[in-house]
Amino acid sequence: MTLPVSVQIITLNEEAHIGECLESVIANDPAEILVIDGGSTDRTVEIAERLGASVLTPGRMGRGASRHLGYTSTALPYVAMVDADDRLGPSWLNEMLTHMQDGGYAALQSSLRALSPTNFWSKGWDAYFQESIRPTTDTNMVGHPSIYLTEALLGARSDIGHEHEDTQLSIDFEQRGLRQGIAPVASYRIAPGSGRESIQKWRGYGRGYRDLVSQQPEKRRAIVRHIAWTIPFLRGWRPMKRGHIAQPLFAGIMTASISYGLLSPER
């Protein structure tokens, strides 16, 4: 049965990942698949069109503006936001939609696991995902992959920035009193498998937090606590109880890298 959902993926040179991502999306039978491309110079757009996705090519707008373009370009009642490195099970969309409707959610994230973790870095990401994205009926923070009420998205502020666009949307939803949650339905992500890739991503997180605080200074204390306490201690030490003895080291490098991005001069 075709589901009334627009699955939306923003891309930039995702030739290596977009094909398998779209195949997992197609297996879920959504009514629409929309790719918003930021100016890829590889075969990303070609692959997406060949697999039947509708593709918008606005050029480099940033993640926030690309998400906004996506959800203002659909007439369907639900939008699922997915990244090219995400892989969905064949019943993911149906299960997520059921949880969303039953719970009266405006935004619902799925649980997350790393796809086939094999080394220190990917195993660290997997343990981090398990610790940080736990099923809960109510939360004030929703990431991706996730599903949203289109009506709620259309009421969001239109100036969502490039980094941490999902966090900015969550803050907007929280301020409007909209219900958000994390479902027990799992999805899988191709996690960074090297230190260089992980550190680069974390520094980007830090720059995103810096931009977020500049826009919403009332969130400064919560972000500092997240970086200084939640990541290194709660998400670094608690996984040790499940046998992830190297997780404190992983979390320590993550904390240092995010802090570097947060405190580095703007470029």
Side-chain angles (χ1 to χ4, degrees), residues 75-266:
L76 292 165
Y78 298 97
V79 168
M81 295 186 184
V82 175
D83 290 327
D85 53 3
D86 289 328
R87 303 292 181 266
L88 312 179
S91 61
W92 182 86
L93 194 55
N94 184 57
E95 292 180 51
M96 288 290 291
L97 194 56
T98 298
H99 281 287
M100 186 168 193
Q101 293 170 340
D102 289 347
Y105 291 104
L108 186 66
Q109 181 182 357
S110 76
S111 299
L112 189 60
R113 299 288 184 272
L115 182 68
S116 304
T118 57
N119 63 14
F120 169 81
W121 299 103
S122 56
K123 288 179 179 179
W125 278 101
D126 188 56
Y128 181 80
F129 290 154
Q130 291 184 55
E131 188 61 43
S132 61
I133 308 173
R134 296 181 170 188
T136 180
T137 54
D138 289 281
T139 184
N140 62 356
M141 199 60 59
V142 166
H144 299 147
S146 52
I147 185 168
Y148 296 83
L149 278 173
T150 305
E151 182 180 8
L153 287 170
L154 293 174
R157 54 189 296 179
S158 60
D159 60 342
I160 299 297
H162 172 62
E163 300 280 5
H164 291 293
E165 86 286 356
D166 49 357
T167 300
Q168 294 175 64
L169 270 177
S170 292
I171 293 171
D172 178 276
F173 276 39
E174 179 188 22
Q175 292 171 341
R176 289 190 284 148
L178 300 176
R179 191 177 192 197
Q180 305 177 84
I182 300 175
V185 185
S187 59
Y188 296 85
R189 175 164 296 164
I190 299 173
S194 71
R196 180 177 181 179
E197 188 180 2
S198 295
I199 289 169
Q200 184 179 24
K201 184 176 285 290
W202 290 329
R203 288 180 176 178
Y205 288 176
R207 292 190 295 272
Y209 287 135
R210 181 187 62 206
D211 294 344
L212 182 59
V213 168
S214 70
Q215 296 175 19
Q216 303 195 44
E218 74 277 6
K219 293 294 181 179
R220 181 187 303 273
R221 179 174 295 182
I223 288 173
V224 170
R225 178 179 173 82
H226 177 70
I227 297 171
W229 172 256
T230 302
I231 293 174
F233 294 102
L234 298 185
R235 297 177 183 174
W237 290 96
R238 287 198 308 205
M240 289 185 69
K241 298 177 182 178
R242 302 194 302 272
H244 299 283
I245 61 174
Q247 199 62 17
L249 175 59
F250 179 88
I253 299 171
M254 183 178 186
T255 299
S257 301
I258 292 175
S259 299
Y260 181 92
L262 178 70
L263 299 173
S264 62
E266 294 190 32

Side-chain angles (χ1 to χ4, degrees), residues 7 19-30 33 48 50-53 88 90:
V7 178
E20 289 186 3
C21 175
L22 284 173
E23 288 170 357
S24 76
V25 170
I26 291 166
N28 280 266
D29 200 18
I33 302 174
R50 176 169 54 81
L51 290 173
L88 312 179

